[in-house]
């Protein structure tokens, strides 16, 4: 059975989702375009302070009336497990909605994105009765207890590149920890998250605990960060926006923030990496998947000179084998760029890199004639010096820069970046070299002989330096939505 579908047949959610239902509010209209053909998908309104206040009011009522943080943990888990099951049951619809409105391909959204979203919810549901405190050492006749408590209402702002999955990384642990959530969609990709909120209500998540509001970052997003009753912020997006959110949070009551930000992730390939064709497949996928619109994209190839020419040649061959097309066509293998604005940004950066001394191995231009959508050719650049914009800044598109080295120490020096430290990969059959490299690379995530997360939920995601701080996923992901309280009792 084909996964391809006609986008005209899909029902599009409307409004904000507040207090367990869809709500229409006045505001500036935002036309959501399908990246594949730039045709209208639907309208949302910029909710701003009014939508955020309505969501906060609903969250307050829900916390009081449902006693969500105080009910038996297994009862919270049961609700979230029903939510996970509903996501799986509606995976086709969610996948179609995600593919229509984003750069995600239908070949991925049903079998991967929707399924993993359900998996994240299920993973944190099982954490509900595993939030444990400690009893610390004391003198006689005293007891010292450290316990975890939810913040109450938390805010989350999510990006457009993996709308469902990145949202689940935040709302699932926040709910499992006993919080209510006010979440802003990206104005470019709001619809699948609105559908998830409706499924949460159907699953029995008390109305008002999971609220989704639409709007721009500088209006609705800023209103979430500023609101005095929202006590924790979690954000995934650009480093520039993350810095603005951290500043605004500090000015709005000194509230903690979790920031998962940009990256310039290196792929360090040693000559002993093994089958060079297999390695070429990994390298190509790491910068071309989702058309490079991945915060952990392997955008810098650092390759040992003994195999550099052959590896680059094989990666180039893979850039020629793509099939660009609509995200709703199962045969499509290469995604569109999310918008014309982002397409223009990528092209401008590539041209600037070339003007500053880089040379184009392949690509370097807009891919025309694809349903009027926003497509950019997979691009490989050489001679990108450390002062070149192509090294300094994140393309967030299908662009790979290449540097070569003669020994591991030189390779590790080239893999370093002065600003970013989100992720990296090391490719070698020598475990000693691999672990040495992993220890040396200053990044929050290092993969060996792969690049990018698999379907596991247990290890944390987050970066160093300008790539942010705090973690999503794993145990750290739920601890991010909990506060520690120390209780000391004398009983002499």
């Amino acid at each position: 059975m084909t996964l391809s579908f006609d986008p005209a047949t899909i029902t599009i959610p409307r409004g904000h989702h507040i207090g367990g239902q869809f709500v229409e509010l006045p505001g500036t209209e935002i036309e959501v375009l399908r990246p594949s053909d730039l045709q209208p998908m639907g309208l949302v309104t910029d909710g701003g302070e009014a939508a955020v206040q309505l969501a906060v009011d609903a969250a307050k009522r829900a916390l009081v009336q449902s006693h969500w943080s105080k009910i038996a943990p297994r009862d919270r888990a049961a609700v979230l497990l029903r939510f996970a099951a509903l996501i799986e049951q509606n995976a086709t619809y969610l996948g179609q909605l995600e593919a229509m409105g984003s750069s995600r391909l239908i070949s991925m959204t049903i079998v991967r994105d929707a399924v993993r979203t359900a998996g994240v919810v299920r993973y944190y549901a099982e954490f509900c009765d595993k939030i444990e405190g400690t009893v610390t050492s004391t003198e006689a006749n005293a007891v010292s207890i450290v316990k975890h408590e939810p913040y109450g209402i938390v805010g989350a702002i999510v990006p457009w590149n993996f709308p469902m999955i990145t949202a689940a990384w935040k709302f699932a642990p926040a709910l499992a920890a006993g919080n209510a959530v006010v979440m802003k969609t990206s104005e470019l990709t709001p619809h699948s998250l609105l559908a998830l909120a409706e499924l949460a209500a159907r699953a029995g998540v008390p109305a008002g605990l999971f609220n989704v509001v639409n709007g721009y970052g500088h209006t609705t997003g800023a209103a979430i960060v500023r609101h005095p009753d929202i006590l924790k912020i979690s954000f995934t997006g650009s480093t520039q926006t993350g810095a603005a959110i951290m500043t605004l949070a500090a000015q709005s009551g000194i509230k903690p923030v979790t920031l998962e930000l940009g990256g310039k992730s290196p792929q360090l390939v040693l000559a002993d990496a093994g089958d060079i064709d297999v390695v070429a497949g990994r390298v190509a996928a790491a910068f071309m998947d989702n058309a490079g619109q991945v915060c952990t994209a392997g955008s810098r190839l650092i390759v040992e000179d003994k195999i550099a020419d052959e590896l680059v040649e094989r990666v180039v061959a893979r850039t020629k084998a793509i099939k660009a097309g609509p995200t709703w066509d199962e045969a499509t293998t290469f995604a569109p760029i999310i918008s014309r604005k982002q397409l223009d940004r990528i092209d401008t950066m590539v041209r600037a890199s070339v003007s500053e001394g880089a040379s184009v191995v392949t690509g370097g231009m807009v891919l025309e004639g694809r349903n009027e959508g926003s497509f950019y050719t997979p691009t490989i650049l050489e001679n990108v010096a450390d002062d070149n914009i192509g090294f300094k800044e994140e393309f967030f598109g299908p662009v790979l820069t290449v540097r070569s080295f003669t020994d591991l120490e030189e390779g590790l020096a080239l893999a370093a970046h002065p600003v970013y430290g989100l992720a990296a990969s090391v490719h070698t059959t020598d475990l000693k070299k691999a672990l040495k490299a992993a220890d040396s690379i200053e990044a929050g995530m290092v993969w060996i002989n792969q690049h990018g997360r698999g379907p596991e939920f247990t290890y944390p995601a987050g970066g160093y330096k300008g790539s942010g701080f705090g973690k999503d996923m794993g145990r750290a992901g739920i601890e991010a939505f909990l506060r520690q309280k120390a209780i000391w009792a004398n009983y002499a």
Side-chain angles (χ1 to χ4, degrees), residues 103-104 112 160-162 260-265 285-299 394 396-397 422 447 451-453:
S103 56
R104 303 294 297 142
R112 175 175 167 169
W160 47 260
N161 55 336
F162 291 85
E260 199 268 314
L261 307 177
K264 289 287 286 187
S265 301
F287 87 96
M288 290 200 301
D289 278 359
N290 208 33
Q293 298 165 112
V294 185
C295 55
T296 57
S299 58
E394 183 180 28
F396 219 71
L422 183 57
W447 298 289
H451 191 99
R453 291 185 71 94

Side-chain angles (χ1 to χ4, degrees), residues 340-359:
R340 281 290 183 186
K341 180 180 178 181
Q342 177 64 9
L343 182 78
D344 291 343
R345 177 186 175 276
I346 294 166
D347 190 49
T348 298
M349 278 190 64
V350 169
R351 292 175 185 275
S353 298
V354 172
S355 71
E356 293 174 8
S359 55

Side-chain angles (χ1 to χ4, degrees), residues 74-157:
R74 293 307 300 172
D75 291 343
R76 262 200 324 273
V79 174
L80 293 177
L81 289 171
R82 289 198 299 271
F83 183 19
L86 272 180
I87 294 172
E88 289 177 332
Q89 292 166 23
N90 290 271
T92 296
Y93 172 62
L94 290 169
Q96 290 171 340
L97 205 56
E98 187 93 323
M100 283 177 63
S102 76
S103 56
R104 303 294 297 142
L105 303 179
I106 191 61
S107 59
M108 293 286 189
T109 55
I110 296 174
V111 299
R112 175 175 167 169
D113 295 32
V115 170
R116 290 190 184 181
T117 298
V120 173
V121 176
R122 183 170 288 110
Y123 175 77
Y124 283 111
E126 292 295 343
F127 250 113
C128 287
D129 62 355
K130 299 172 184 67
I131 300 170
E132 298 169 343
T134 56
V135 177
T136 66
S137 299
T138 67
E139 61 192 42
N141 300 320
V143 63
S144 171
I145 301 169
V146 180
K147 62 180 295 189
H148 295 91
E149 296 180 344
Y151 282 91
I153 305 175
V154 300
I157 302 171

Side-chain angles (χ1 to χ4, degrees), residues 193-364:
L193 185 48
L194 291 168
L196 282 174
E198 177 65 12
L199 290 179
R202 285 173 49 189
V205 174
L209 286 185
F210 182 21
N211 304 283
V212 176
V213 294
N214 305 307
Y216 295 114
H218 67 279
T219 52
T220 306
I224 289 174
V225 178
R226 285 196 305 262
H227 201 288
D229 294 324
I230 296 178
L231 301 181
K232 164 72 193 263
I233 302 295
S234 183
F235 169 76
T236 297
S238 72
T239 297
Q240 181 181 11
T241 304
I245 284 174
M246 185 166 63
T247 301
L248 187 57
Q251 296 169 346
S252 306
I254 314 296
K255 59 189 68 175
V257 295
T258 294
L259 302 175
E260 199 268 314
L261 307 177
K264 289 287 286 187
S265 301
Q267 302 187 72
L268 182 65
V269 181
L270 280 61
D272 61 2
D275 187 326
I276 197 164
D277 202 52
V278 172
V279 176
R282 290 188 209 136
V283 170
F287 87 96
M288 290 200 301
D289 278 359
N290 208 33
Q293 298 165 112
V294 185
C295 55
T296 57
S299 58
R300 294 190 295 133
L301 173 60
I302 316 295
V303 55
E304 193 167 351
D305 53 9
K306 295 175 185 177
I307 63 167
D309 290 344
E310 184 179 3
L311 180 60
V312 170
E313 180 181 338
R314 296 194 185 210
V315 174
V316 168
R318 280 165 170 77
T319 69
K320 307 298 185 184
I322 62 166
K323 181 177 180 181
T327 50
W328 49 83
D329 184 346
E330 186 179 20
T332 297
T333 64
F334 187 69
I337 304 302
I338 190 66
S339 67
R340 281 290 183 186
K341 180 180 178 181
Q342 177 64 9
L343 182 78
D344 291 343
R345 177 186 175 276
I346 294 166
D347 190 49
T348 298
M349 278 190 64
V350 169
R351 292 175 185 275
S353 298
V354 172
S355 71
E356 293 174 8
S359 55
V360 178
V361 177
T362 188

Side-chain angles (χ1 to χ4, degrees), residues 11-17 21-25 29 41-45 93 191 194-195 214:
T11 302
I12 309 300
R14 290 182 56 87
H16 311 271
H17 203 280
Q21 61 186 348
F22 288 109
V23 177
E24 298 278 0
L25 295 173
E29 288 188 340
M41 181 171 173
L43 291 174
V44 295
T45 59
Y93 172 62
H191 296 108
L194 291 168
N214 305 307

